[in-house]
Structures are given as C-alpha cells and as structure tokens.
Amino acid sequence: MEMDYTFYALFNIVVMVQAMTLGVLLILINKKKYKSTFFLGLLLVLFAFEMIPIILESIKAYSSYPQLYLLPVDFYWFHFPLFYLYCQHICIYSNYKKHYWVLYPGILAFFVQLGVFFLPYATKFYISNTLGYEIYHFTKIAYGLGIGIYSFILLVKHKKEVRNSFSRTEGKELIWARYFLIFNIPGSVMYTIIENTIDDSFFDKV
C-alpha cells in the first residue's frame, strides 16, 4: 500500500512538471499574433498548481505540516473560463469584445481561499466539513459547466459562420476544441457524481 501511495505521488509530480513546463512555454511564446496561447498556458500552469494538494495528501504531508491544509490553489473556477477566452481569441468572432468578466468569480474565490488558508488548522478543518463548503464546491462545478456549455455554443456558432464564409473550411472549424468540451463537460459531471457517492474511490483522491 505504501508503494502505491509513492507511485501515485510520483505520477502526480510528473504530471505537474509536464503541465507547468508546457504552460510556461505557451506563455513565453505569447505574442500579439498568438495572444491566445497565453490563456492556454495560464490554464496549464494553474492546473499544475492544483496538483500540489494531491501530492501532499498522497505522501501524508498534512500529518506533519497541518498548516498546509487547504492551500489556496483550487483553480477549477478558471478552467472553463480560460478556455472560453482562448476560444474567443481564435474563433471568427475574435474582433468582438472579450468577456473577461468570466474570470471574476475565480478571482473572488482565490481571495476567499487565501483568507481561509491563514486560519488555524482546526478552523480550516471545521470549515471543510460544513454545508457552506459543500455549497462552495458545487457552485464552482456548476459555474464551470455553465461556462463550458457557453464555450461550446460559441464554437458551434463559429462553425456555422465559417462554413458560410469560406469555401474551404479545413482547419478553420476548431473541431479539436469542440471535442475537448464534449469530453470534459460530461467528464466533470461524472467526476462530481463519483467523488460524492463512492467513498475512498480513486477519484476521491484526485
């Protein structure tokens, strides 16, 4: 069992390093012509930071360093909003006003997390087991899914507009982005269901 936890920790460390490396590279190549890469890069960097609590739990670090509990790195609030902004920058509507307001709930949530993080461990543990914390958790899932669906609608409109405007649409329909949402939106729903219905499951550790 100890070997399983060690392997699980190493696996997550590898995932974190890869996501961080690719994210930083995408941010560094960010230029005016490729401004959209900034949002993909930032998404990967935030995802990498989210791996830290998973790694700490898998190596049982909280028992020795309880002050690290509830690190303010719950960036799920930014997953779909950042992807939505990426889509806005690369789709046929890229000249339209960008909806940066989709980031506001995530920014607010970060500062709330930051305030909670500096509380005593006993208080943080109590908060994490309250109904309010559950509501917070389901709210971020619902918000993310809402923006994900909003992004999918944008891509469907983009596809129709491209087909009406170009004789050759190969490479212009952003098919990969639609497939990304098709897999991730239901995946987020299933993750939430399994996490909250199956005790001690693999997903409960993720």
Side-chain angles (χ1 to χ4, degrees), residues 82-121:
L82 283 172
F83 191 76
Y84 170 72
L85 289 172
Y86 168 75
C87 292
Q88 270 202 312
H89 277 81
I90 63 173
C91 74
I92 201 168
Y93 305 109
S94 60
N95 291 326
Y96 286 36
K97 183 178 180 181
K98 305 301 184 294
H99 297 163
Y100 293 107
W101 57 264
V102 297
L103 299 175
Y104 293 166
I107 295 172
L108 176 62
F110 171 73
F111 284 108
V112 172
Q113 292 178 65
L114 198 61
V116 171
F117 175 68
F118 288 106
L119 295 173
Y121 170 75

Side-chain angles (χ1 to χ4, degrees), residues 116-133:
V116 171
F117 175 68
F118 288 106
L119 295 173
Y121 170 75
T123 305
K124 292 193 288 186
F125 184 78
Y126 171 78
I127 291 174
S128 66
N129 288 280
T130 60
L131 176 61
Y133 191 80

